[in-house]
Amino acid sequence: EELWLLQNSLTEKTGEYDEYLSVITAKKEAEAEERARKEAVRTSIADTALSFIGGPYVYGGSNPNTGTDCSGFTKYIYEQVTGISLNRTAAAQSTQGHPVSAETAKPGDLVFYGSSGSITHVAIYIGNGQVVHAANSRKGIIQSDLYYQTPVKIVSILDD
């Protein structure tokens, strides 16, 4: 009788354990899928930015096909790839998202440049210490080293 009760209890506990295990496994799989999705969005931002290299710089422009300035470029890329609407100017964009360090920056993060406390330029970090940005009317949309100037601020717009 007592042995039967113990066996029943053990069977019940094993069933509970198996249930917990499958819940944990499903949760881990879902987390891995979400991480992969977020990484894919970041890769897509970088790839889309890279696809416009050689495009024209136009002050006040907001379409890299016809000409854009730095913040028009970042705004366009974000809206096309993520549907997220960025503010229009570099200074205003720098107030969005949350600050990250250069060491923890990921592709898709925004890198801001300027001098004496004012932000005057924005670029898209694409990984490996590189950014893509609408530089000026002479150079157009180019790829540069992250430190071609000293970054003032780096922000992550994405919630990851």
Side-chain angles (χ1 to χ4, degrees):
E1 175 85 17
E2 198 173 320
L3 184 60
W4 182 82
L5 284 172
L6 285 171
Q7 281 175 327
N8 254 8
S9 178
L10 182 61
T11 303
E12 196 179 301
K13 294 291 180 220
T14 304
E16 286 174 13
Y17 174 77
D18 289 345
E19 233 174 88
Y20 288 134
L21 206 56
S22 67
V23 167
I24 289 166
T25 303
K27 192 173 167 137
K28 280 187 176 169
E29 286 169 3
E31 286 169 356
E33 282 171 22
E34 182 64 6
R35 263 195 312 280
R37 188 193 63 76
K38 286 175 175 175
E39 202 169 301
V41 168
R42 288 182 170 282
T43 300
S44 183
I45 290 169
D47 289 348
T48 304
L50 282 163
S51 75
F52 287 106
I53 285 182
Y57 176 97
V58 173
Y59 183 78
S62 59
N63 185 329
N65 295 297
T66 55
T68 183
D69 62 17
C70 65
S71 56
F73 180 64
T74 53
K75 183 174 175 58
Y76 178 91
I77 299 293
Y78 259 83
E79 283 173 3
Q80 294 301 307
V81 176
T82 70
I84 295 170
S85 184
L86 295 181
N87 293 326
R88 181 58 185 96
T89 67
Q93 287 178 9
S94 74
T95 66
Q96 294 180 270
H98 58 276
V100 294
S101 68
E103 297 73 38
T104 62
K106 297 179 195 162
D109 289 344
L110 299 181
V111 182
F112 296 92
Y113 301 91
S115 56
S116 65
S118 69
I119 288 169
T120 55
H121 191 68
V122 60
I124 296 174
Y125 186 67
I126 58 165
N128 299 319
Q130 299 289 299
V131 295
V132 173
H133 57 125
N136 55 46
S137 53
R138 195 168 39 82
K139 294 180 178 174
I141 299 170
I142 60 170
Q143 180 174 333
S144 300
D145 186 89
L146 170 66
Y147 292 103
Y148 84 96
Q149 285 180 6
T150 305
V152 174
K153 186 178 187 182
I154 303 174
V155 302
S156 177
I157 300 295
L158 304 170
D159 292 329
D160 61 357

